[in-house]
Amino acid sequence: MSSSLPNYPRFTLGDSLTSEQLDFFREYGFLHFRAFISPETVQSLLQASEDVQQRWLADGVQKVNGVPIKYGKDVDGSPIVQRFAFASHHSPVLHEFLQDPRFRALFPLLEAPHGRVGENEKDGLVINHYVNVAGSEFSQMGWHTDSLRDVFYGKKIGPMLNVGVHLDGTPATNGGLRVIPGTHRQGLRDILFRKKYYKDVGPDSNEIAVETESGDLTVHDGRMWHRVAQSPLVGEASRRRVMYVPIISGKYEPKHENSPTPFYLRFLHLVK
């Protein structure tokens, strides 16, 4: 399928989706929007995440609402947070950002009622900070779907969108998001067994690279197979920071400080 998408379209997100955008998503399972936010907003969000990081490092925060926080080392050896969860609960700037009405424009992609930004559900606003250096605990993420969590809970797989706000540009030569178009329409067997979750990290003949610029927005269906390729670069040049927010429907299931650690997150240590 990748051969039919050598140069997939990059769109602009307005107040509502166009028929072309809806049709593309239904067929391929992802969308890529250029310049969703300005360079000034990018810097504001980066600063907000660093403020949260400083507080969590100082306070020794290990979990937020039952979700483990992933720490690692930066290029200078200093400790950093490499996977935040529920970050917007700890930053007014990040919380306010999630109120952007353009997120609501994506709700029709769910093809289900009661769509919402899952700020208080799943893992909330996740910030992934990838860097390829010695001591980093997060330089790539192997093949997975986002639907596995529903399977673990014995629930019917519900519609979910994973929406990425890219704070650093990532050409294909620097690793980054890879998707297998059309796999959002696969059956349960392929969701479970097409790949070894997180352990399979190599390229797939049908994958395409989603090449982002700083400020871009991507959306992919939670049932779709995807991975984050490791950067072949080392040090500062390998840095990639992406904010992910789930857009979901169905029963409202907020997390709280006494929420248990989800079973699927016990695999987080496999992600290096």
Side-chain angles (χ1 to χ4, degrees), residues 68-71 83 136-142 197-199 261-272:
I69 305 306
K70 197 173 184 69
Y71 290 91
R83 186 182 192 269
S136 171
E137 288 292 314
F138 215 16
S139 63
Q140 65 181 329
M141 186 178 286
Y197 272 78
Y198 301 117
K199 289 189 175 182
T261 298
F263 179 78
Y264 63 89
L265 285 173
R266 296 178 192 176
F267 297 102
L268 200 58
H269 69 280
L270 296 174
V271 178
K272 298 283 187 179

Side-chain angles (χ1 to χ4, degrees), residues 224-240:
M224 170 183 245
W225 280 101
H226 59 286
R227 70 181 177 112
V228 177
Q230 186 177 53
S231 174
L233 309 176
V234 176
E236 187 61 42
S238 72
R239 192 182 307 281
R240 302 192 307 269

Side-chain angles (χ1 to χ4, degrees), residues 14-270:
D15 294 332
S16 61
L17 294 169
T18 66
S19 57
E20 181 188 10
Q21 292 162 0
L22 285 163
D23 289 345
F24 186 90
F25 186 85
R26 286 191 190 107
E27 180 163 2
Y28 297 111
F30 77 101
L31 288 168
H32 182 174
F33 299 99
R34 285 283 191 226
F36 177 70
I37 53 175
S38 68
E40 293 75 25
T41 300
V42 168
Q43 290 308 310
S44 171
L45 297 173
L46 286 171
Q47 184 59 56
S49 70
E50 288 173 13
D51 292 344
V52 175
Q53 173 177 276
Q54 285 184 343
R55 290 200 304 276
W56 287 5
L57 285 167
D59 296 341
V61 173
Q62 295 302 308
K63 291 183 180 181
V64 177
N65 294 344
V67 178
I69 305 306
K70 197 173 184 69
Y71 290 91
K73 293 289 200 297
D74 207 343
V75 293
D76 61 358
S78 61
I80 55 171
V81 178
Q82 295 204 262
R83 186 182 192 269
F84 300 71
F86 294 102
S88 67
H89 288 199
H90 297 259
S91 166
V93 172
L94 297 177
H95 169 73
E96 183 62 31
F97 175 67
L98 294 185
Q99 314 314 308
D100 189 314
R102 289 176 297 171
F103 286 120
R104 299 182 62 84
L106 301 172
F107 292 178
L109 297 174
L110 289 167
E111 297 187 341
H114 312 302
R116 60 190 179 273
V117 173
E119 185 176 10
N120 307 316
E121 301 171 85
K122 306 285 187 183
D123 297 351
L125 176 64
V126 168
I127 305 175
N128 289 335
H129 187 167
Y130 300 95
V131 62
N132 190 19
V133 292
S136 171
E137 288 292 314
F138 215 16
S139 63
Q140 65 181 329
M141 186 178 286
W143 286 107
H144 62 288
T145 75
D146 300 318
S147 297
L148 188 64
R149 61 189 75 190
D150 285 347
V151 176
F152 271 133
Y153 290 125
K155 299 194 301 187
K156 182 175 183 290
I157 292 174
M160 173 196 164
L161 309 173
N162 212 341
V163 179
V165 179
H166 298 261
L167 304 178
D168 295 290
T170 306
T173 51
N174 195 16
L177 181 63
R178 305 288 192 267
V179 299
I180 304 180
T183 52
H184 63 303
R185 299 196 304 268
Q186 66 195 338
L188 181 60
R189 179 180 174 82
D190 280 341
I191 285 177
L192 292 175
F193 301 117
R194 181 176 178 137
K195 303 277 188 187
K196 292 177 184 170
Y197 272 78
Y198 301 117
K199 289 189 175 182
D200 284 347
V201 297
D204 184 285
S205 60
N206 290 314
E207 74 176 30
I208 65 166
V210 179
E211 298 191 86
T212 57
E213 297 173 0
S214 177
D216 284 4
L217 182 109
T218 58
V219 187
H220 67 260
D221 190 300
R223 296 164 291 192
M224 170 183 245
W225 280 101
H226 59 286
R227 70 181 177 112
V228 177
Q230 186 177 53
S231 174
L233 309 176
V234 176
E236 187 61 42
S238 72
R239 192 182 307 281
R240 302 192 307 269
R241 290 158 294 191
V242 187
M243 299 184 358
Y244 279 106
V245 59
I247 288 181
I248 53 183
S249 64
K251 182 184 175 186
Y252 181 56
E253 297 179 311
K255 297 278 186 69
H256 51 79
E257 62 182 31
N258 295 319
S259 292
T261 298
F263 179 78
Y264 63 89
L265 285 173
R266 296 178 192 176
F267 297 102
L268 200 58
H269 69 280
L270 296 174

